[in-house]
Amino acid sequence: MAGGSFAPTGEVKQYAGKVTGFVVITCIVAAFGGLIFGYDIGVSGGVTSMDAFLKKFFPQVYAKQRQAHENQYCKFDSELLTMFTSSLYIAGLLASFFASSMTRLYGRLPSMFFGGFTFLIGAAVNGAAKDVTMLIVGRVLLGVGVGFANQSVPVYLSEMAPAKIRGALNMCFQLAITIGIFAANLVNYGTSKINGDYGWRISLVLAAVPAFIMLAGAAFLPETPNSLIERGQVEKAKAIIQKIRGTSDVEEELQDIIDASEASKQVAHPWANILEKKYRPQLVMAIAIPMFQQFTGINIIMFYAPVLFKTLGFGDEASLMSAVISGLVNVLATFVSIGTVDKFGRRALFLEGGVQMFISQLLVGVVIGKTFGTSGTGTITPGSANFVLFLICAYVAAFAWSWGPLGWLVPSEIFPLEVRSAGQCINVAVNLLFTFIIAQVFLSMLCHLKFGLFFFFAGWVLLMTIFIFFFLPETKNVPIEEMELIWRKHWFWGKIIPQEDDRAQSKPRPAQG
């Protein structure tokens, strides 16, 4: 059976209750923790295309891009410039390991609050920066905030949302990321028009706004039932379940969470246990999906968009406006995913998005190759430039309803409670590691691979689409505590999970309520 695409239906539980306004509002507010990640992705590329910013911190890059016959592929190639962009991601990677322990021991909300507070400090440092060292210190603080937010918010959403709309509510996190990117693009476009040399400071310090939103959310939102039960607060957890499900009949769901919590308490060392064979499918997905997400090349488009459009021959203002357009497409296409993920499933969106991204990147590479060749010299016509912008928007749209939100949704919903924090930590760490690697080498790769860079990412998109087709089962409408069933039914993973674990899972469970 190609791909093992069918999830079991008869054995999966459906809990009592309904979709309440309270749970929808709670999840939307929590999801806006993604604003800080999105704003940073969008703002960094914008300020690095501003002349005032480059003259102050990266004068060599500024001088190089002003040379009339400079190779278009190489004019932004600078190790210091890439360090400014990518330092955030290595800091976020390291912070995610500490965030994992905080999330498990103290709850999801303290991690969200600490992330927002650290991001707020980083925004202030960056806005007041006097030299490159101060810039990078600010970026590191922003990275710590991103690491904590990306660790806690997706888990919070998956645990609070009812199974039937878990995909849509979890995807609000990705929607918040896209809104953050779009807002940053608009801010960059506006501040670039300010006379004087301080427009970039406004762009950087306004990162404090999404940080304040995240702090407010963490201060007023309820903790998840799973986290409360992990810490022995069963009655409080029951009251929260009744409130978010809109029914008093919550004994079955409560008991399942208690059972999962009891099992998790037997796991003294989740980092060791997650390496066991029975967790192999989830571990592979927690590594492969975030890695593949970065090898779509999306963050190249998002945080280097103005630089990329400037490289392709767009003027200063046109490059920033093009980034605004692609950012708006990113936001709108995410709504497509929110409206379809729980109807058509995760696999359908992954596969369609992969095909569309593959075709778009191939065509971008062809157009740029015909225009600039391998020498990097030439002038792109307005028609070709607009066609490239259209292709990039088609690529961004495909990502926004597939690998963008699903790259966060799927890893956050597949782990059992006993290893969930460790699993989400791995997901975030791998995501930020490969974001760092791509950010660090992109400008150099563009200089050396030239238009072939787009063929490079297209090849990766083809590979990851094949991977999804064969190895990811469908997870839509499956309660999070019942997720192990889909792996045991899968054509490939069912052979990997130990048979003794199958027998243990088939034993009668304790009476419910």
Side-chain angles (χ1 to χ4, degrees), residues 1 3-6 276-289 292 347 410 414 466-475 483-499 501-502:
M1 181 190 298
S5 58
F6 301 103
E276 293 179 6
K277 213 168 183 180
K278 65 180 178 179
Y279 303 123
R280 191 63 45 81
Q282 296 96 322
L283 180 61
V284 169
M285 293 299 162
I287 295 172
I289 288 177
F292 283 145
R347 283 172 51 85
V410 173
I414 60 177
I466 294 171
F467 174 85
I468 292 296
F469 181 77
F470 283 106
F471 297 111
L472 180 69
E474 185 54 68
T475 61
M483 197 65 73
E484 77 272 2
L485 291 173
I486 65 170
W487 304 107
R488 294 192 288 115
K489 291 285 186 178
H490 190 266
W491 74 275
F492 177 78
W493 299 117
K495 302 173 185 176
I496 302 297
I497 298 173
Q499 290 301 309
D501 190 52
D502 281 348

Side-chain angles (χ1 to χ4, degrees), residues 151-171:
Q151 161 70 25
S152 54
V153 174
V155 171
Y156 183 94
L157 294 172
S158 288
E159 291 181 344
M160 290 292 280
K164 65 181 72 174
I165 60 166
R166 185 178 62 244
L169 291 182
N170 194 292
M171 282 183 172

